[in-house]
Amino acid sequence: NKQRINLTLPYDQLTPLSKYLYDSSFYHTATQQNEFVYATFNYKSDTFSIEAYLCQSLNLEGKKWPVIFYNRGGTGNYGKLTHEIFPYFYELAKEGFMVVGTNYRFVDEYGKYDELGGIDVEDVIQLVKIVKSWSQIDTTNMFMIGVSRGGLMTYSTARKLDFNAISVLSGVSNSAKQYEYRPIFLNGWDDLSEDQNYLGLANVLPDFKGKKQQYLLDRSPTEWADELKSPTLILHSRQDGFVPVSQALLMAQALAAADASYQLKIYNKKSHALPSWAFDSIEEITDWFK
């Protein structure tokens, strides 16, 4: 049920996040390119119909395509994927990949109930299984990227499925320490628009008080790094104000202790998504995958 998408919105009407990820020149290039198709499609995970985003070559004949799965950051409707993610997908796709991402189930009317690495991980797993069934996919070359909260989603998925390699940008790796730093994710907030407010994990997960330790353990890859088999590239800014660089350092330490294959790169310039106009993030990621 793929629906092809054309990017027609003027750059000055894009959201601030999109303008942060790419400049007007690259956006123009992404809207005018004629090698790749942008599309959305829906797939089923449990009882939910979930929207996915796809950037694929116009010419799929005679080649099996390696795939990058992209896990978004944000909470609920805050940071959810829209058509404005396609230029970022194009930046990855033109390096020789098909790129697919999902919004998870906790968007729209369900946004305030986001489990932040709970049952929503199943939505990523189901997407991977569906894409693997496509005839044009090279199932021996599958990769995953996660940004911020998407880093936790990436670690959690790689705990259950095998990938050739994964990469995490500005990612959460230890929820207990992250929520000490930003308890708002436990308690929620009500100072944004109604569709972007969030109840908080303590008000979403059943018996949070009694099961808090287990809930945080499940969301702390540093505690089960030995279960991750995919070579891992960690990129982070030393001056990240949303997810502190200690999250990257703790994960690298845990992977080292597990004798896992990993690489860590810390940037000195302030950022929380490491966009390629200011960093060599795309180059580092695609080189790691290749």
Side-chain angles (χ1 to χ4, degrees), residues 14-26:
L14 301 183
T15 61
L17 176 58
S18 297
K19 293 177 181 178
Y20 178 68
L21 287 177
Y22 42 81
D23 60 21
S24 59
S25 176
F26 186 79

Side-chain angles (χ1 to χ4, degrees), residues 16-253:
L17 176 58
S18 297
K19 293 177 181 178
Y20 178 68
L21 287 177
Y22 42 81
D23 60 21
S24 59
S25 176
F26 186 79
Y27 180 69
H28 178 74
T29 299
T31 62
Q32 300 301 309
Q33 62 83 24
N34 56 12
E35 299 178 77
F36 294 88
V37 173
Y38 307 131
T40 61
F41 64 93
N42 286 78
Y43 69 98
K44 192 170 184 179
S45 180
D46 295 331
T47 59
F48 289 83
S49 178
I50 299 176
E51 187 175 43
Y53 292 72
L54 167 70
C55 179
Q56 68 179 32
S57 172
L58 268 170
N59 182 15
L60 296 177
E61 297 299 323
K63 179 180 178 180
K64 296 284 188 177
W65 284 83
V67 182
I68 295 175
F69 293 92
Y70 174 84
N71 289 323
R72 53 156 279 214
T75 305
N77 290 315
Y78 185 81
K80 75 175 183 178
L81 296 184
T82 69
H83 298 170
E84 295 179 23
I85 195 60
F86 285 127
Y88 186 85
F89 280 15
Y90 167 63
E91 194 168 10
L92 293 163
K94 65 188 182 70
E95 295 298 321
F97 299 90
M98 183 182 292
V99 185
V100 190
T102 178
N103 251 331
Y104 322 132
R105 70 185 64 188
F106 294 111
V107 293
D108 301 327
E109 69 268 32
Y110 304 110
K112 63 183 178 180
Y113 303 105
D114 200 337
E115 293 190 5
L116 299 178
I119 191 62
D120 40 309
V121 174
E122 186 63 24
D123 304 334
V124 183
I125 292 173
Q126 289 303 313
L127 178 63
V128 173
K129 291 179 178 179
I130 289 168
V131 172
K132 283 182 70 173
S133 71
W134 296 352
S135 61
Q136 64 269 37
I137 299 304
D138 180 0
T139 57
T140 67
N141 274 299
M142 308 191 76
F143 307 90
M144 184 165 280
I145 294 174
V147 180
S148 192
R149 171 265 185 85
L152 172 57
M153 303 295 284
T154 297
Y155 290 132
S156 297
T157 305
R159 188 184 189 184
K160 298 181 178 181
L161 301 178
D162 292 330
F163 297 91
N164 292 63
I166 62 175
S167 181
V168 171
L169 295 78
S170 313
V172 175
S173 66
N174 188 296
S175 291
K177 293 185 181 298
Q178 175 66 7
Y179 298 150
E180 286 178 8
Y181 180 71
R182 299 188 71 192
I184 190 172
F185 289 99
L186 294 181
N187 305 320
W189 58 80
D190 59 8
D191 57 344
L192 296 179
S193 60
E194 179 61 28
D195 69 318
Q196 292 191 339
N197 286 332
Y198 178 55
L199 293 176
L201 283 178
N203 301 307
V204 167
L205 299 175
D207 187 20
F208 183 82
K209 186 175 181 180
K211 299 179 180 178
K212 179 179 179 180
Q213 185 175 1
Q214 186 62 49
Y215 283 140
L216 295 181
L217 175 63
D218 291 342
R219 291 162 175 78
S220 296
T222 54
E223 303 305 305
W224 33 264
D226 59 325
E227 298 180 39
L228 300 174
K229 307 306 179 186
S230 303
T232 303
L233 172 66
I234 304 171
L235 305 177
H236 216 108
S237 165
R238 185 183 64 80
Q239 302 184 63
D240 190 328
F242 294 97
V243 178
V245 69
S246 57
Q247 292 281 315
L249 300 176
L250 286 169
M251 192 63 195
Q253 185 179 37

